[in-house]
Amino acid sequence: MIKNILVPVDGSESSDKSVEYAVSLAELCGAKLNFLYVANVNQLSINASLTHAIMDAMRTAGAAILERAASMVSENVEYEKIMETGAPAAVILEYEEILDADLIVMGSRGLGVVKGVLLGSVSQYIIERAQGPVLVVK
């Protein structure tokens, strides 16, 4: 039985579709949604430590993305908003364990074959390493 759903969000169209799907599942199963935004500080090409302004901007963007996800939830569904920094794939797997998630519902960025092979994919990484089921929404 699905009671605890982890939903990584990044503000993309694919992410929004995964939120819609997760909300529908939560309504059917009576499950709690856990929206997780991970600020990918690893992508920033800054050698020194991050400035307060950059971190504040990342927090503001993350809060807006989490709020948009929360706005899609019907009033009878319980949810939590979580914001972290780090490598998204690693943080998602960490939260799968912390939350004891029954299911991960996430979007697919649709990188295409060449970009997917060269750059890798967070969703592919999660599919290969998650302890439980993963639903990737296109």
Side-chain angles (χ1 to χ4, degrees), residues 121-134:
S121 161
V122 172
S123 57
Q124 184 64 38
Y125 186 90
I126 299 302
I127 289 168
E128 293 172 358
R129 290 169 179 82
Q131 298 300 308
V134 178

Side-chain angles (χ1 to χ4, degrees), residues 55-72:
M55 287 305 293
D56 287 346
M58 292 174 76
R59 282 189 202 99
T60 300
I65 290 167
L66 286 167
E67 191 54 42
R68 186 166 78 217
S71 74
M72 296 182 204

